[in-house]
Amino acid sequence: MIAILVALPLIAAGCSFIIPWHQARSWLLPAASAVHLLLSTLFALGYLPPGGPWIGLDALSSLVLVVTSLLFFGCALYAVGYLDLHPERDNKVMVPCLLLFLGAMSLAVTARHLGLLWIAVEATTLASAPLIYFNRNRLSIEATWKYLLICSVGIALAMLGLLFVAYSALGSGVPVSLQFDKLLSQATTLSKPWLHTGFVFMLVGFGTKMGLAPLHTWKPDAYGEAPGLVGALLAGGLTSVAFLAILRGVQLMTAAGDGVLARQELLGMGILSLLVAAVFMVGQPDIKRLLAYSSVEHMGLLAIGVGIGGLATFGAMLHLVNNALTKGGLFLAAGNIQRAYASKHLSEVRGAVSVLPVSGTLFLAGFLAITGSPPFGPFMSEFTILRGIFGSERLFVGLLVLLLLATVFIGMGATVLAATQGESSEATPGFRDSPLLCISPLCFILLILLIGVYIPEPMQNALHQAAALLEVQP
């Protein structure tokens, strides 16, 4: 039954090619994603069977599935209003590609075979490339080629890592299989040198899709030139899926008794990502490139949380949810601001709150949330990660993370406050906040505010179960 989660968006994508009406195609997107969200929630809550050996769900994949599906539903609602603003462009490309993107992400999340996981992650690249090129100008085509080239090289390295993992089984005399549950059960018998090498290549390869430094260079261009709703899906959905792929490697290394090595490598890349993001966010005049570097920062925080382990791992799972929803709200609000000013540069964007009261206020609230200000959800997750760092007696790491987070807050604040406050520039005539363009970012910001105040018990249980999977020893 879980195959429905993958088949539904693929069937809807096929139907969108057949439907001749622009408006009907647009509304097919939220309709299909609403059913997908309902099914994802039922599977995650255990009301439907969790699947079999090829595709199935555990606590980790259930968490990522629900978050990704919720984010996609919000972006699908936004897409209806966004596509209405571009009646001169046929949505016969954007709608099918979005649905194919959802299907590929669903397959990657539910895959219980590492080969199938690799195919699905590669499919996300192919499905999302036309979305980055939606604006059809020189900068967008450059960003698309950069995205395709860098991510394709990264995914090739990930495939090499999977081959090394398979060879680690061959060298130990056990039957070769990339079926994940079999690998976990045989983890202690795998050849350690080949397994270690395989994990490094998986970390580098899937880390490219996740956007960990120094493999992040496609992000500023892709996020900066893609429509806001595509940036939201890349920053909140695709990165979460790629992170799950890396966590599969962490699970395998931990089951083999080498979890400490895997966590040290994750910790190193996480700190580097935080450092790079802090440097490039100071004085950044482009609001969407700013959000791209913010994504690099928060991918680093996720890696640091899992790299520390224990309480910080729980914080990382919570931060995965917070980051996806907050980035969704920020990118959608930034898309509205860019539309109003026909620019995303500080030289032309001023006083957004007075021109777009709802979108400007949501963008400002999203900034406060993503930088870890209370009472928003990211404050709780970042605080939990920091508690885990200091609780593990890594004083230097904790102080360094605090320093870099403070630098990010100052750098991001300078750009966001300049864009939202002060005297307004002349906006594009006729563009104003509309319900379809504001309801999704508003709901995302309200959700992370709720998570910051109160985490429902089912969500707490899901987070604890996801974190526990990463701590399983042989």
Side-chain angles (χ1 to χ4, degrees):
M1 288 185 65
I2 204 167
I4 298 173
L5 285 173
V6 180
L8 174 67
L10 300 183
I11 293 172
C15 292
S16 67
F17 278 112
I18 301 171
I19 296 175
W21 303 289
H22 179 98
Q23 198 72 18
R25 272 198 302 270
S26 295
W27 281 103
L28 177 64
L29 198 56
S33 61
V35 178
H36 188 277
L37 176 59
L38 175 62
L39 291 173
S40 299
T41 305
L42 292 176
F43 276 112
L45 294 176
Y47 291 110
L48 296 173
W54 279 83
I55 55 174
L57 291 172
D58 58 15
L60 268 173
S61 53
S62 295
L63 180 66
V64 176
L65 177 66
V66 172
V67 170
T68 304
S69 187
L70 176 60
L71 176 67
F72 192 93
F73 175 66
C75 291
L77 279 177
Y78 179 92
V80 176
Y82 180 80
L83 290 170
D84 284 345
L85 294 175
H86 298 276
E88 75 282 359
R89 295 187 187 173
D90 193 358
N91 61 4
K92 212 168 188 178
V93 173
M94 178 173 248
V95 172
C97 284
L98 283 170
L99 290 167
L100 290 173
F101 190 36
L102 176 61
M105 288 193 294
S106 301
L107 180 60
V109 171
T110 57
R112 301 299 294 175
H113 189 284
L114 294 183
L116 189 60
L117 170 63
W118 181 88
I119 292 172
V121 173
E122 173 67 354
T124 62
T125 305
L126 301 177
S128 54
L131 300 173
I132 297 173
Y133 182 55
F134 180 79
N135 289 320
R136 301 177 188 176
N137 55 40
R138 179 183 61 82
L139 294 176
S140 62
I141 189 63
E142 180 183 337
T144 304
W145 278 113
K146 196 171 185 178
Y147 171 69
L148 283 170
L149 179 62
I150 295 175
C151 289
S152 295
V153 170
I155 206 67
L157 294 176
M159 180 178 67
L160 190 58
L162 296 183
L163 293 177
F164 284 141
V165 171
Y167 195 80
S168 70
L170 181 65
S172 62
V174 300
V176 177
S177 173
L178 285 176
Q179 205 283 326
F180 187 64
D181 297 301
K182 289 183 180 178
L183 281 172
L184 285 179
S185 64
Q186 300 168 353
T188 54
T189 65
L190 300 178
S191 172
K192 295 297 179 68
W194 288 108
L195 179 60
H196 296 171
T197 307
F199 176 74
V200 170
F201 276 89
M202 286 178 66
L203 178 58
V204 172
F206 291 123
T208 303
K209 294 286 290 186
M210 185 179 170
L212 289 171
L215 315 162
H216 68 287
T217 51
W218 62 270
K219 269 192 169 184
D221 295 280
Y223 289 17
E225 300 308 320
L229 71 100
V230 178
L233 291 173
L234 292 174
L238 182 60
T239 54
S240 300
V241 172
F243 185 48
L244 175 63
I246 293 175
L247 294 183
R248 294 306 188 201
V250 174
Q251 280 185 271
L252 194 55
M253 288 283 284
T254 304
D258 293 313
V260 173
L261 177 62
R263 291 177 186 278
Q264 287 175 344
E265 293 169 357
L266 261 180
L267 181 61
M269 291 192 74
I271 292 174
L272 178 61
S273 299
L274 206 56
L275 177 62
V276 168
V279 169
F280 283 95
M281 289 173 76
V282 174
Q284 177 58 246
D286 187 311
I287 60 174
K288 288 175 74 175
R289 291 178 74 91
L290 180 77
L291 297 182
Y293 285 113
S294 175
S295 179
V296 176
E297 171 212 353
H298 289 279
M299 294 306 101
L301 280 174
L302 291 178
I304 290 171
V306 176
I308 293 295
L311 178 63
T313 300
F314 175 85
M317 296 300 101
L318 177 58
H319 198 66
L320 184 148
V321 178
N322 287 327
N323 173 71
L325 298 179
T326 310
K327 282 296 192 308
L330 274 168
F331 269 100
L332 296 183
N336 292 343
I337 293 172
Q338 182 181 7
R339 173 68 181 179
Y341 289 88
S343 174
K344 53 193 175 66
H345 200 277
L346 273 185
S347 61
E348 298 178 54
V349 179
R350 297 282 176 172
V353 170
S354 60
V355 174
L356 300 173
V358 179
S359 296
T361 302
L362 289 175
F363 190 69
L364 185 59
F367 151 70
L368 294 174
I370 205 65
T371 51
S373 304
F376 294 100
F379 168 76
M380 291 300 300
S381 52
E382 289 182 16
F383 182 71
T384 305
I385 292 172
L386 285 167
R387 279 182 59 201
I389 294 173
F390 286 108
S392 64
E393 300 181 352
R394 303 198 186 194
L395 181 62
F396 174 76
V397 173
L399 292 176
L400 179 60
V401 170
L402 280 174
L403 175 63
L404 293 175
L405 289 177
T407 305
V408 165
F409 181 87
I410 295 170
M412 192 173 186
T415 299
V416 172
L417 292 176
T420 56
Q421 305 300 307
E423 294 185 6
S424 62
S425 304
E426 184 178 353
T428 302
F431 182 85
R432 289 293 183 269
D433 286 321
S434 66
L436 277 176
L437 294 177
C438 293
I439 186 65
S440 294
L442 175 61
C443 289
F444 288 150
I445 298 299
L446 289 177
L447 277 173
I448 60 167
L449 179 61
L450 174 63
I451 293 173
V453 176
Y454 171 71
I455 302 178
E457 187 174 349
M459 182 178 175
Q460 287 192 44
N461 293 335
L463 294 170
H464 280 294
Q465 291 168 11
L469 276 184
L470 298 172
E471 305 286 340
V472 176
Q473 300 292 330

